[in-house]
Amino acid sequence: MLASLGRALIALLATTRHVSGSSSSEQDQFKDVQWDDDNWMIRTHALDPGHYQSRLTLANGYFGINVASAGPFFEIDEPVDGNVISGWPLFSRRQTFSTIAGFWNSQPRTNGTNYPWLYQYGWESFVAGIPHWSGLQVEANGELLNASVNPEHITDFVSSLDVKAGIASWRYNWKPGGSEDGVIDVDYQLFVHKLYVNKAAVRLRLMATRDVNVTVYDVLDGDCAVRSDFVDKKYEEDSPTIWSAVQPGNITNVTAYVYSTLTGSDWVDFSTREQVDEGFFSDGNAWRPTELSKFIGVASTDAFPDPQAVAKEASESGAEEEWGTILTLDSVDDYYLQNGSLPKDPNIQELHILARTNPFYLLSNMIGPNAVTAAGNNTQLNIHSVPVCGLGSDCYGGMIFWDADVWIAPGVQVSHPQHAQNIINYRVEHFEQAKRNVETAYTSSKNQTGRFTPGGAVYPWASGRFGNCTGTGACFDYEYHLNGDISLAFNNHMIITGDQEYFKDTLLPISNAIAHFFGQVLDFNETSGAFELWNATGPDEYANQVNNAGYTTALIQRQFLETNEFNSRFGLSPNASWADKAAKMRLPINENAGIIVEYAGMNGSVQVKQADVVLVDDLLHYPNPYSLSNLDYYAAKQSLDGPAMTYSSFAVVANEVSPSGCSSFTYNLYSALPYVRAPWYQYSEQLMDNVEENGGTHPAFPFLTGMGGTNRVAIFGYLGLGLYYDKLDVDPSLPTQIEYLNYRTFYWMGHGINATSNTTHTTLARLPRGQYTLPTVDATYFVKPIPVTIGTRSGRNSTILELGDEPLVIRNRPMGETLTVAGNLLQCGTLLPPPQGNKPGQFPVAAIDGAASTKWQPEFSNVTSYLTIDLGDSSFYPVKKIAMDWGNQPPRHFEVYFTNSSLPPFSMQTESDEIRNVTTGKVQISAPWDPVTAYEIRAYVGNQTNITLNNCVWSGRFAHLGVKGNQYSESTTEGGTVAEWNLIRGI
């Protein structure tokens, strides 16, 4: 497809500018990035062309775009280790992308699938691209400024993202052709309107140190319009406008129009405009320094009857913006202390930044109620849900997965429920197709005549335009849990918004249809006398076609019980057969290990792709005596090649079920820090992006699922929010590292609530009705207090408290203050930054968080790596015992030192009054790998070393642990693991 191009000829007169410094610095690992916390501004000084991690995505919920590191340009990736391929199922070339919500195509097959034999039963539907619309390219001295500009010709580079306003900026000095003569100061800004969702704008300012002629090209790049069919394009003669139109492949009744209109300074002579063919650029004459603005209009037939007129009008007019009314200070979690300072701990600072950036990226891909109203109450705008990587990427084919309902939605639902409505609406929109999908049981192992009766509904695992069953999106013999996950999102929507009428009339019928389907997809096991789900896949996609999957079994059981409960609440008859089936369902349990197994027949060699059994405690109102043992067992079984959402679930569950320690904080860090990429705090799907090192996965990017996971932790983990329709349930406990947390405004039955936690107590307060009440509010609680309970699922306290006009103060669970090992001096203590690196996600804090389920692992085995804990300068303690849990890859040697001022590294021969070597030795393996018992399911036990000292040794201010080597294998280059380091106080 040929690109659409226009140009305006201008000249730049000599000017100069002053470059000011940054206002604040970011964490060390983002060495070229600064975060300005006063203004919520990210800045980077690193130009990193050709790499997807450095590209920024902007969107408004209707359309979005991904742009190059050098500016708002179309860009193709540079190969890394010979690889330039995106992931499953497209396996296409990585490049910048732009699309419109719901702009899905139709095609017979693709390069990847789950069940290739299902191709014969239905075509696939993947996201199609539109022309890349933001390019304003500049030609000077024979060189073109675009994504391929020579980095050596760029100096003083700074690019920024204004998170409060949604504006991306680039400013730098460009030396066209490398010449010092005629250096051009380039200043781009890119803006996608959040309120008027058909509009975007690009502004270009050019200044020069001497007179220089330039040519500017307005580009709509058709290379971006993958899986689309060209319809038309035009260069308008009577206005500075170009436009292009495309259709998603094989969809002839949908057309998207992209308009671009230029405006400029008074001295810009638009009479010099001319249409140019692709790849052809010519010189021109002009006279002054200048500014050009490019106004974009985008619309498609999916939401607008006359998309061309809408796009044209949007391109010709400006607009106001509303980011400032959406992403307000009280709508995000805030880690500032009560004295107005931000903690110095870089981990807390990073969580504080992510508490702003994660909601920004998530909300960027959701339509708000004001935008729907501004578009003439256009309800077709917000029915397309949120793809895994949003509207600036075609990762996972731009399809809709459980990611939207379970990971992306919840943290946004509680604070911005009307934005998350599009996730609900997508499922409602495809309900009729979900009912028809049941009729395709003949393609599956459930092909028994008369098995399925009318009234059921089943959604495909992945879907685009049609919501039908396909090779990538199977309806049968795969991840049935999606259907129950959808129903959970419905329940949450009602509990958060208070919209009981919509729930009863629209959502509850879908939940009933899902329960109807579940009732018929189960099989009865004559031997066990239980109803079971056979031939399915749970959330762990390493385990396919298994029977009696643990999480899915619990989910179906709760689907039966809670759907009947809601039916009774709204005056409908409960279904007796569902109650009977629920009573006869049994979770697969291994009593010896005290865990729920993932599926019948699982053995101890299992490796888990992503959170599975742990979701029973995270997502379901399920009484579970195995919660803690599940957490410990499956933490040891998680694959390092799994996607970036598992550990947010672990963080939530750890904060709920751990009796001691601060592992929830470790898991919170694990959910974010290894996956966040510089400079824009966007997430990768993988710990490592190198395909050769991460198990062969081409990471999805930017991975909204991971962002949504981290965005859940504070509100559902630390506050312990449980969503029940008849009570506001919380179970607060802050890890010791977090001194104070002001949670985002959240809603319960439509009422706005604020919560703040310090180290000992949490305060709940109702917010003013005028500003913090949803239109769908349950008015009952205007005249009576909100009932509040503490830890309902865990049975902590059955007392019902009342939240009225006065704040309610609740004591936190003192989890961090409770010692896992009695007398331990180190648990959740002050950790000094180690002098060496660690493996991704294997943080030093894991060695002192009171939980063996988390581990520290140094980066290298051939050097001694140290941990240093500051015990304080006011008290020394007698130490009688050292207790180590090494985890599953013990080091070969260890050493423990006390000092009052010295810090590592130390020599093993070092002995002095200041540096005391408490103990040194070879690590003995207490739980060696045994091939005979490796397949047995056993409760997790790490390798342990316990040393009782002959005499108590007085600690110093600092305690140091050094480890070297790794006994996993001789060839292992990574350091050994340390699950827990305990220094036990003597009498």
Side-chain angles (χ1 to χ4, degrees), residues 729-788:
D729 191 70
V730 295
D731 194 12
S733 180
L734 275 190
T736 53
Q737 293 89 346
I738 302 175
E739 298 179 48
Y740 189 78
L741 181 52
N742 188 353
Y743 302 94
R744 74 201 76 171
T745 295
F746 68 95
Y747 291 87
W748 180 84
M749 298 302 285
H751 297 269
I753 298 170
N754 171 254
T756 57
S757 292
N758 59 25
T759 55
T760 60
H761 291 80
T762 293
T763 301
L764 298 174
R766 299 183 65 164
L767 294 169
R769 181 188 302 185
Q771 186 178 356
Y772 294 98
T773 300
L774 299 178
T776 53
V777 64
D778 182 346
T780 304
Y781 299 101
F782 284 145
V783 295
K784 71 176 187 179
I786 293 173
V788 177

Side-chain angles (χ1 to χ4, degrees), residues 207-221:
M207 296 175 284
T209 56
R210 54 169 293 178
D211 294 356
V212 58
N213 289 336
V214 302
T215 304
V216 176
Y217 298 90
D218 183 5
V219 182
L220 301 178
D221 198 318

Side-chain angles (χ1 to χ4, degrees), residues 87 89 121 177 220 233 242 251 356 369 431 511 544 583 684 711 822 946 961:
Y121 298 113
L220 301 178
K233 66 178 182 179
I242 57 174
I251 302 294
R356 284 138 183 76
F431 179 39
S511 293
N544 292 274
S684 174
N711 193 44
N946 297 307
L961 170 67

Side-chain angles (χ1 to χ4, degrees), residues 67 94 187 217 268 271 361 363 372 419 444 455 476 504 535 550 573 577 604 635 874 925-926:
V67 293
R94 282 198 191 267
D187 187 349
Y217 298 90
V268 175
S271 67
Y361 290 123
L363 288 165
V372 173
H419 285 75
S444 73
F476 289 87
K504 176 185 177 183
N535 199 32
S573 298
S577 70
S874 58
I925 297 180
S926 63

Side-chain angles (χ1 to χ4, degrees), residues 212-242:
V212 58
N213 289 336
V214 302
T215 304
V216 176
Y217 298 90
D218 183 5
V219 182
L220 301 178
D221 198 318
D223 284 344
C224 182
V226 291
R227 292 175 298 281
S228 287
D229 297 326
F230 173 71
V231 174
D232 198 5
K233 66 178 182 179
K234 189 174 182 180
Y235 170 89
E236 300 284 0
E237 298 289 349
D238 57 350
S239 67
T241 298
I242 57 174

